[in-house]
Amino acid sequence: MFFTFMRGVVRVVLFLINGNAHYENRELLPKDENYILVAPHRTWWDPLYLAVAARPKKFAFMAKEELFKNPILRFILIKANAFPVKRDKPGPSAIKTPVKLLKETDLSLIMFPSGTRHSTALKGGMAVISKMAKVRVVPSVYQGPLSLKDLFKRKRVTVRFGEPIDLSDIKKMNEEGLAEVEHRIQTAFDQLDKEVNPDFRYDVKK
């Protein structure tokens, strides 16, 4: 209930700030099953746009452990279906918690499977979660303002969803398996970017 309420508030705020959002291919989102919604992480507000674009589905998401030290923020995060993860040394709970949520609740999961387009570590974690929970992965991309100033200028925001990806045929998360996960996810991201605007450029900060 709290998640739905907060998403409604966020939707209104984003409309007031920008008011030029376009959500494409929403019909591809699975209707009667949980899934992992993934995207390249480009701004601090793209998770907000993803959650709004994929409504009415409710989501859980990972948040860095440090954010939960503040009691007020901790209360909000927990009510919004967030769970803590150590980014430098993610423990078993980084896999077990989302798998349990996907299998036992009506919550899907939002993940940004790489800090940059060249990292495979989190893509591997995403693949393990997908296989253990027996859910598909839905690729998506955000194209739009990359600075808060441009967001307030009401420049166009586009969130586009792709066809769900089944990773169940990848038997082992070894080097070969991770390379295949990387290939499928990155190919989907690249294709979606091309479909929205092939001239869009995002400079990865290393």
Side-chain angles (χ1 to χ4, degrees), residues 9 14-15 20 22-23 34 42 46 49 58 60 69 84 104 127 152 194:
V9 172
L14 291 177
F15 178 79
N20 190 16
H22 303 262
Y23 307 129
N34 283 340
R42 291 170 172 167
D46 51 17
Y49 273 107
K58 293 184 291 185
K69 292 180 179 179
E104 300 180 6
F152 273 95
K194 183 178 179 181

Side-chain angles (χ1 to χ4, degrees), residues 18 20 42-46 49 142-158 200:
N18 180 268
N20 190 16
R42 291 170 172 167
T43 75
W44 62 262
W45 55 81
D46 51 17
Y49 273 107
Y142 164 97
Q143 282 193 18
L146 299 176
S147 70
L148 198 57
K149 178 177 67 175
D150 285 341
L151 191 67
F152 273 95
K153 288 180 179 179
R154 304 177 80 82
K155 293 187 176 182
R156 181 185 173 103
V157 168
T158 301
F200 178 81

Side-chain angles (χ1 to χ4, degrees), residues 11 16 30 33 37 45 49 55 63 73 80 83-84 86 92 99 112 140 143 147 156 165 184-185 188 191 199-200 206:
R11 185 182 177 189
L16 293 175
E33 62 186 83
L37 182 59
W45 55 81
Y49 273 107
R55 65 187 187 281
L73 190 55
F83 55 93
K86 290 183 179 180
V99 168
F112 297 94
S140 60
Q143 282 193 18
S147 70
R156 181 185 173 103
I165 299 172
R184 293 186 192 182
I185 299 300
Q191 180 61 35
D199 296 322
F200 178 81
K206 295 188 177 181

Side-chain angles (χ1 to χ4, degrees), residues 108-125:
S108 286
L109 181 67
I110 291 178
M111 287 189 71
F112 297 94
S114 60
T116 74
R117 289 162 58 94
H118 309 293
S119 169
T120 60
L122 285 176
K123 285 191 176 72

Side-chain angles (χ1 to χ4, degrees), residues 87-99:
R87 287 193 173 182
D88 53 343
K89 294 181 180 179
S93 63
I95 299 294
K96 292 180 180 179
T97 298
V99 168

